[in-house]
Amino acid sequence: MLSNHLQNGIETARLVWSRLPSSEDGATAEIELPSQSRGGAGAESLDYEVIENYAYREEQAQRGKLWVSYCVVLKWLFSLLIGIGTGLAAVFINLAVENFSGWKYAATFSIIQHSYFVGFLVYILFNLGLVFTSVYIVTKFAPAAAGSGIPEIKGYLNGVDTPGILLFRTLIGKIFGSIGSVGGGLALGKEGPLVHTGACIASLLAQGGSKRYHLSSKWVRVFESDRDRRDLVTCGCAAGVAAAFRAPVGGVLFALEEVTSWWRSQLMWRVFFTSAVVAVVVRSAMNWCKSGKCGHFGSGGFIIWDISGGQEDYSFQELLPMAIIGVIGGLLGALFNQLTLFITSWRRKYLHKKGNRIKILEVCIISLVTSVISFGLPLLRRCSACPDSEMSPGIECPRPPGTDGNFVNFYCAKDREYNDLATIFFNTQDDAIRNLFSAKTFHEYSAQSLVIFLVMFYSLAVVTFGTAVPAGQFVPGIMIGSTYGRLVGMLVVKFYRKLNVEEGTYALLGAASFLGGSMRMTVSLCVIMVEITNNLKLLPLIMLVLLISKAVGDFFNKGLYEEQAQLRGIPLLESRPKLYMRNMTAKEASKNQKVVSFPRVVKVGNIVSVLRSNKHNGYPVVDQRQNGETLVIGLILRSHLLVLLQSKMDFQNSPFPCDMRGINRHNFSDFVKPVSSKGMSIEEIHLTGDELELYLDLAPFLNPSPYIVPEDMSLAKVYNLFRQLGLRHIFVVPRPSRIIGLITRKDLLIEESDHSATSELQSTSISASSSR
Amino acid sequence: MLSNHLQNGIETARLVWSRLPSSEDGATAEIELPSQSRGGAGAESLDYEVIENYAYREEQAQRGKLWVSYCVVLKWLFSLLIGIGTGLAAVFINLAVENFSGWKYAATFSIIQHSYFVGFLVYILFNLGLVFTSVYIVTKFAPAAAGSGIPEIKGYLNGVDTPGILLFRTLIGKIFGSIGSVGGGLALGKEGPLVHTGACIASLLAQGGSKRYHLSSKWVRVFESDRDRRDLVTCGCAAGVAAAFRAPVGGVLFALEEVTSWWRSQLMWRVFFTSAVVAVVVRSAMNWCKSGKCGHFGSGGFIIWDISGGQEDYSFQELLPMAIIGVIGGLLGALFNQLTLFITSWRRKYLHKKGNRIKILEVCIISLVTSVISFGLPLLRRCSACPDSEMSPGIECPRPPGTDGNFVNFYCAKDREYNDLATIFFNTQDDAIRNLFSAKTFHEYSAQSLVIFLVMFYSLAVVTFGTAVPAGQFVPGIMIGSTYGRLVGMLVVKFYRKLNVEEGTYALLGAASFLGGSMRMTVSLCVIMVEITNNLKLLPLIMLVLLISKAVGDFFNKGLYEEQAQLRGIPLLESRPKLYMRNMTAKEASKNQKVVSFPRVVKVGNIVSVLRSNKHNGYPVVDQRQNGETLVIGLILRSHLLVLLQSKMDFQNSPFPCDMRGINRHNFSDFVKPVSSKGMSIEEIHLTGDELELYLDLAPFLNPSPYIVPEDMSLAKVYNLFRQLGLRHIFVVPRPSRIIGLITRKDLLIEESDHSATSELQSTSISASSSR
């Protein structure tokens, strides 16, 4: 058999390749973004350095049934662990945030009984301290933890690996950073960061712990394929949403609709499992906390903003104001995306270049402004009298100072009064939203207060977005949306007096419309809104509003995450080819790139010079046959060449093909690049002059059959191939001169069932067709 | 430019092809199943006749923006119409079924006050009449309406078109047939048929009405692409589930998880919209019916089996019995699949061959047996005393005769007694399930009654499955499952006395477990169970049970729909390649098939003889150049050849390439085959001897760049390509001799953003990487 191998090499290469950490499909590339030291304010073009990362999926199949079962068990175990980990992280973050906020408001309220000025100072300092902690951790320790992280995770699952995004330090930075930023009262949420947290936990588990902190353990490192890692990260994302909103179904749909690029139906069930584990963990923790061991945490119940007791029905007249809410949401959402895009881009260009101090200073100033506004503005409002306790039973007004709830008595002259602006502005986010969503509380808010809050909070959210702290946009979005939603609701109550209208319902619809107008999510957002409010009956209304707001928003710009991904230089491959691609051929698309290929046996020196002279990540290998013909025998990757050059094991003296035993010298995991690292560079490899004169036979290490397309195939078709299979390289070849065979559906089914089953099939035709 | 075309032809062919009803990807083939007249009991091999159906997706793009907008609007309008249509169909079916059942039980109850025997006769005859109507309609009028239809729809969306499955007559047969079969008290449900109904409505809309009944209107026939049709059918499936269970989210997930093969995220929102429309329609109808205009319909409320007032919490000790329910569900579900497979296969082999009379007789006998058992068995049971009305407030026992509800007084000696077996057996399905799910009704059932019911109903469901009436398996599954679930629940109540256990919760879990064990659905089933019971809190428990039952079931056999699809000869391409495909090459897979190719200009007589001599559906076209070289210039389809032969317009005298203007003679819709028809056959085309001597230039009509794979690519990779892109043909070509170019992610992104955006991107690197 060996002589055979020597003769051709290709056959063996296929066999060997199937054992190598292989599989083109769905490999994640790494994009090195232009660092500021090199990039400058608009210098050269985007500096890609795509290093490929391979998997040994094929190899697994050869290790036997036991190994496969072990992997399956491990996958489910890991899903369980991701669920538990993300659930615990969410509980920890919630616990910390709600207790910090609780203490802050309790302290402030008890002090303002004596002096508003001292209370104000304490409030400002408390917020500043938390925010400073957050920004300090992020800038000094985990720069990748800034922002929501969803665009980066989306990019990762699309095939672009932003460095540092899934490290252990990022996880830690994200958790503690978001405690500080959310607890410090900034206009941002903890939901986006929780998605990132889930993804980090998943990725760290997948590589068996962090390498840098020597936590990596060998026996769990079976997930060296990119696809397995990506699957786990998908689970992590779903877990994050499930934990953030206590919405397991919403989490699955979010992962499905918003973040993943290659969805496999087999994965769905595992993702759902992870989400359910999160739900169980969070619920158990909350049950455990009910006894009061956790301070302010757990008082809200599992359903975050339960309005299941709200409006049961709706009439056709209400559809018009609801549509108006949708339009407002689309407009304000698109405006939000545009404003944040401008501000973030400006900030990156001029502000963040100047170093970490500016970043820290910026956040501290925003914290100060936020504190002043949220404390100061309610002071300027006049208090309203509490609703009649007989007319509205179950409402406690004003609430006792220092506790959570509605109807805050803040700077009021009389005892039985409350400050409607303080109820939403000078309150924790969760409570503020609960108040806005609350049913049976007509006329709680004056239109003036809501308008003031809307304008101020919208501005704060825009300014806060893009600072160097972990920041989610869900909760700010809900707050903005529910404010104008409630405003519309108030008008509806005024004009349609006869109807059974609840302002809280409109607030919910407003929240949905703003999120729809900004993030452009649809199904997942719908389900999340239903799950966080536990009101299935409003589903059609939420959908109506989302349909309108998304359509209106799409008229102006792209969704928030897409805009931000573009801004961060994460090139997402969309699911559909662009229109212009229909009129281009594959040849035209690849024209601007010179193809550099290797012969089968190549001088080491040549490899080094080729690798130095360009930045390509894959090279065709073209063999010269005895009769002078050439034959493309496969694709060799830069990263694999680097491994071979570094190990030096396969260098040979003769310029003729070797036998194939060489491959056994390598451990498969040699070829696997850890996630979130930059991989090797040719500059790091040092070879002596003698070594440069040696030869290397590439045949055992190449991918013998990458996907090929004929030169005049339309680029749209090529795009579909590339995108659907998650490829990294496609060979463009001349139009073939002959056809060896034609594969149809029949050929792919023919050996599926053995012969006994086939004869079974023959004899059992369907009765429908036979009896016609 | 024309001279250029004449020279090569390929360039133009690409341009022309892009205007032809084109696009290989995702075309739906048609499989002609062996009819019994030809097939016999195990004669020749499966008789495929795959006829391709093309789309003019590319063409749409060239018709201008206005046309595209018109299509988008029309797509949404059609989604709306599908929603409304399916919703109304569901309301109609429900209305009819519940009123027939209601009348039946009301009449029977009022008669048995006087004579049980007369009541028995009336009951039997009523059932028999309804069932006979159903089976008569189905066998005489719409044979494709038998069964649940889900396997066929699944096949259609996978690319296999069973004839007759989406016709207007099938729709009518399905609606009226399922009214008869469900109203007639057989052990089957209306949910599967509703999915089929939704799909039929969608398909009929897509082709602008039924052709046969002259309802087809031209102006809405824009959905001539297979993909658009398939998208609409997917919407229809989701609408069906949404209507059947009043579960919009469940409907979307069902379509996503169970029926579709190629899912596009753009579709999700439209599917969801359709589901929501259904929910609105059904809810409006039920509101309208609340005033009593609809008889027995609408009394149950929008949530079918509302147990939101049930068990709130669960303790760890309960997990063991719940796991046991999962195991039982897996075992009974797998057994159900196996038994139905055997019986259906036997029935098709021996019984249904004998014609429609046997089919009708069979169903009538089953109806008689069902009636006798459901009336007779409760007679043998002793009645129990009603629970103390003070201890259990809100329970009306016994219920007044002739009304719906729990605690049926049937053949009881005393007034304050009820017959527990009659409560579930001698009742409408919905009520029986509601009773089994009911909370706060401890000790309502004796274990003996439940065991009797379980055994009898299980047997009836197995026997009824596969008869010639529309039949769903959801409701029988829920009844079987909830019976043993409640049995386990009774044991738990007995052994864990201290816990707050509800038997109804266990019934729900049992239902989930049986459906999981039989249908092997996961996420969608979970969500459907939550939506039909409105109890989000039980989600983790349902998941646990489903995980176990699916795993146990998978150990024994495939899911119900897969088994049935296989039995019906619908070859589904699974989402993953088989293991053996890794060790096969593309060449090996296509070896058993001789490639028949055409030259560019071919004699008409040759075409006819080739088309007669084989049954291939695609032929490579190989051009001979001046220098003697050959070049593969594309793929021509049998169906297109048939259109060309029939029209005769393009026949020419010279054996040299024509110019390209010929294509303008054709209307694009000439090439579109209507769905669910057999298409043309070569035998139907009659050509004179002179015509056979003419020539035909194929270049304008071929697909110039089908996907190609090198001969030694592993079949697993080919499978992925085929399956992911929904192809019908792949060319296997020799390994290329040179590489023209290499396409990477960069090439597909490079012209995405214009230059201003690129410079924008350069200057805004991510802060994370820059500050490290």
Side-chain angles (χ1 to χ4, degrees), chain B residues 7 65 72 142 149 241 347 427 478 483 493 542 637 688 738:
Chain B
Q7 223 179 320
K65 283 253 171 189
V72 168
V241 174
R347 186 178 267 147
N427 213 334
I478 291 175
T483 310
V493 169
I542 295 175
L637 294 178
T688 63
R738 65 194 177 92

Side-chain angles (χ1 to χ4, degrees), chain A residues 158 266 276 348 543 566 571 576 593 630 632 705 707 717 730 732 735 737 740 742-743 745 761 765, chain B residues 158 266 276 348 543 566 576 593 630 632 705 707 717 730 732 735 737 740-743 745 761 765:
Chain A
N158 191 270
Q266 305 99 294
R348 280 155 183 275
M543 286 198 59
Q566 205 175 39
R576 300 175 90 160
Q593 180 199 27
T630 56
V632 179
S705 52
Y707 286 102
K717 275 180 113 167
I730 290 180
V732 181
R735 188 170 271 278
S737 62
I740 288 175
L742 211 140
I743 291 185
R745 186 181 190 90
L761 273 171
S765 65
Chain B
N158 191 270
Q266 305 99 292
R348 282 156 181 275
M543 287 199 59
Q566 205 174 40
R576 299 173 90 159
Q593 181 199 26
T630 57
V632 179
S705 51
Y707 286 103
K717 275 179 113 166
I730 290 181
V732 181
R735 188 171 272 278
S737 62
I740 288 175
L742 212 141
I743 290 185
R745 177 182 267 272
L761 273 170
S765 64

Side-chain angles (χ1 to χ4, degrees), chain A residues 61-83:
Chain A
Q62 302 194 353
R63 286 204 199 167
K65 283 251 173 193
L66 201 69
W67 174 252
V68 172
S69 317
Y70 174 67
C71 282
V72 168
V73 169
L74 214 61
K75 274 179 188 174
W76 283 91
L77 182 69
F78 274 28
S79 304
L80 179 75
L81 290 179
I82 291 169

Side-chain angles (χ1 to χ4, degrees), chain B residues 452-523:
Chain B
I452 292 172
F453 179 74
L454 179 61
V455 172
M456 297 315 299
F457 195 83
Y458 193 92
S459 316
L460 285 175
V462 168
V463 172
T464 313
F465 184 96
T467 51
V469 287
Q473 273 68 56
F474 267 103
V475 164
I478 291 175
M479 292 187 77
I480 293 168
S482 53
T483 310
Y484 66 76
R486 191 146 187 137
L487 263 173
V488 174
M490 285 167 64
L491 290 178
V492 175
V493 169
K494 206 168 176 185
F495 286 109
Y496 300 106
R497 277 169 204 231
K498 286 178 198 164
L499 299 178
N500 172 27
V501 175
E502 284 287 354
E503 291 172 10
T505 308
Y506 284 80
L508 169 67
L509 294 178
S513 78
F514 186 78
L515 292 178
S518 166
M519 297 176 186
R520 315 282 158 80
M521 302 196 305
T522 53
V523 181

Side-chain angles (χ1 to χ4, degrees), chain B residues 172-183:
Chain B
I172 297 299
K174 206 89 196 184
I175 291 177
F176 289 95
S178 62
I179 291 173
S181 63
V182 178

Side-chain angles (χ1 to χ4, degrees), chain A residues 531-544:
Chain A
E531 285 192 296
I532 55 179
T533 58
N534 202 19
N535 198 334
L536 199 62
K537 286 156 188 162
L538 294 180
L539 187 64
L541 297 182
I542 295 176
M543 286 198 59
L544 171 80

Side-chain angles (χ1 to χ4, degrees), chain B residues 120-121 123-140 180-181 184-188 347 351-352 355-374 460 463-469:
Chain B
F120 182 51
L121 277 185
Y123 177 72
I124 285 181
L125 289 175
F126 208 116
N127 278 344
L128 196 61
L130 282 170
V131 168
F132 179 77
T133 320
S134 167
V135 70
Y136 191 82
I137 292 173
V138 169
T139 48
K140 296 287 175 192
S181 63
L186 291 180
L188 42 76
R347 186 178 267 147
L351 211 59
H352 285 185
N356 286 341
R357 287 206 184 165
I358 290 290
K359 284 187 194 170
I360 296 178
L361 192 68
E362 179 194 23
V363 178
C364 290
I365 291 173
I366 290 175
S367 167
L368 278 178
V369 172
T370 309
S371 300
V372 169
I373 289 178
S374 62
L460 285 175
V463 172
T464 313
F465 184 96
T467 51
V469 287

